[in-house]
Amino acid sequence: MATAKTGSFYLTETVTLPTASASGTRVQATVDLSAYVNVPTGQAIAIDSVDFIYQWGSAYTGAGAGMLAGNGSVGAQLTDLNPGTAFVRADNQTLVASGVLNIDNTNNVVSHSTDIYPDNFGPNNLSEAFMVVNDTLYLTAGNNNAAVGGSDAFVSVRIRCRVVKLSTKDWMAIAIQSTAEA
């Protein structure tokens, strides 16, 4: 299906949830892929893995206590089409990865759940990677059930990917599948 043109490299982006943002707030950032995706040559991005990192305050700590003003969660999604500031359902073909940080301030417990990651579906080879033919990825993050605590909260995405060459037939099939959700 694809042949790698580069070794693995990382792309990162961060969204900021401002202090005291109400429950249900969503913030979006973009990851520019225009330097890597090229339609005439069939060049695309193969995403091998995605990690979400949750931090808050000026020291960028990972401690969950205080991130929200009460019990709640901070969710994140990475998509290859623009959902605006909405989260998409798990069966949406544009969903690359998603995760959530659950915060129980009452009992001082924080847990991280992963929903979908490209590397969950098999060995680390190109047939199991998430192929992207769009020139932008969208990171959406937001808090639920409680306002953001006394400092800004940050959600970063770290994407391990490669530049690949696709056949014209494969490139078109991925483009059709990707835009079918729009």
Side-chain angles (χ1 to χ4, degrees), residues 7-170:
S8 293
F9 60 95
Y10 289 90
L11 299 171
T12 59
E13 186 56 65
T14 299
V15 296
T16 302
L17 296 167
T19 304
S21 295
S23 174
T25 298
R26 302 288 183 262
V27 180
Q28 185 184 70
T30 59
V31 180
D32 183 12
L33 301 179
S34 61
Y36 312 108
V37 174
N38 187 309
V39 177
T41 64
Q43 193 169 290
I45 289 289
I47 297 177
D48 295 322
S49 67
V50 176
D51 293 303
F52 295 107
I53 302 152
Y54 304 88
Q55 299 172 303
W56 76 282
S58 60
Y60 307 110
T61 64
M67 184 181 282
L68 297 179
N71 295 340
S73 65
V74 178
Q77 290 187 336
L78 184 68
T79 59
D80 71 346
L81 285 181
N82 188 353
T85 55
F87 285 145
V88 299
R89 206 169 65 191
D91 63 348
N92 189 304
Q93 295 295 320
T94 69
L95 183 61
V96 178
S98 65
V100 65
L101 182 70
N102 293 301
I103 300 170
D104 179 349
N105 277 339
T106 305
N107 296 304
N108 200 27
V109 176
V110 176
S111 62
H112 180 261
S113 301
T114 56
D115 299 324
I116 292 181
Y117 287 122
D119 56 347
N120 282 356
F121 300 110
N124 186 16
N125 62 49
L126 288 174
S127 66
E128 302 298 335
F130 188 99
M131 299 294 173
V132 178
V133 297
N134 299 317
D135 61 0
T136 307
L137 292 172
Y138 301 88
L139 170 63
T140 305
N143 53 306
N144 301 299
N145 300 328
V148 173
S151 295
D152 291 347
F154 306 95
V155 179
S156 298
V157 65
R158 185 170 161 92
I159 307 159
R160 189 179 76 211
C161 55
R162 296 178 262 182
V163 175
V164 296
K165 168 103 169 95
L166 297 171
S167 69
T168 302
K169 185 168 56 170
D170 288 338

